[in-house]
Amino acid sequence: QVQLVESGGGLVQAGGSLRLSCAASGSIFSIDPMAWYRQTPGNQRDLVASITSDGSTNYADSVKGRFTISRDNAKNTVFLQMNSLRPEDTTVYYCYARIRYNSGGNYFRHWGQGTQVTVSS
């Protein structure tokens, strides 16, 4: 059983910073990629940032230069450092990981439970 446990959300003033963490636990052989998504008003999940096992990153245009994704492969953990936060960043953020349970096996998608980020103006 694989779990993704998120932490670090909360309330912050505009211009402030938050750091989200997501730790994967359970039967894990490899994870590629790890990512953060956020919920849209239409209840979709939009990609915020992703990072591969070799460190390649990708960001949504709306967060480039403000957010930084990183990961600790040894701890199966991904982080999202969010700086210069804006009220429009307010929503639920979800951790995502594509996980292989054993060598040669298939990858399976996993989601965290979501963490609320609220930015006040």
Side-chain angles (χ1 to χ4, degrees):
Q1 187 82 5
V2 171
Q3 277 191 317
L4 301 183
V5 178
E6 301 158 355
S7 61
L11 173 65
V12 65
Q13 289 189 331
S17 298
L18 284 174
R19 188 184 194 223
L20 306 183
S21 300
C22 172
S25 62
S27 178
I28 298 171
F29 177 77
S30 62
I31 307 177
D32 206 4
M34 301 188 83
W36 290 94
Y37 284 74
R38 62 186 180 186
Q39 188 167 326
T40 69
N43 260 354
Q44 305 281 352
R45 291 182 185 181
D46 278 355
L47 178 69
V48 176
S50 66
I51 184 167
T52 63
S53 57
D54 64 0
S56 297
T57 58
N58 182 46
Y59 294 93
D61 287 343
S62 59
V63 306
K64 281 181 182 175
R66 300 189 298 125
F67 292 9
T68 302
I69 190 169
S70 60
R71 65 188 281 177
D72 183 336
N73 289 330
K75 296 182 178 180
N76 292 327
T77 301
V78 64
F79 306 97
L80 186 68
Q81 179 65 44
M82 304 186 292
N83 298 330
S84 303
L85 281 161
R86 305 167 180 168
E88 54 264 39
D89 295 318
T90 296
T91 188
V92 179
Y93 286 71
Y94 293 93
C95 175
Y96 166 86
R98 188 165 160 265
I99 296 174
R100 191 162 60 172
Y101 303 144
N102 48 63
S103 173
N106 294 325
Y107 279 95
F108 293 90
R109 300 176 179 183
H110 292 270
W111 293 93
Q113 78 281 4
T115 186
Q116 176 70 41
V117 170
T118 302
V119 185
S120 63
S121 56

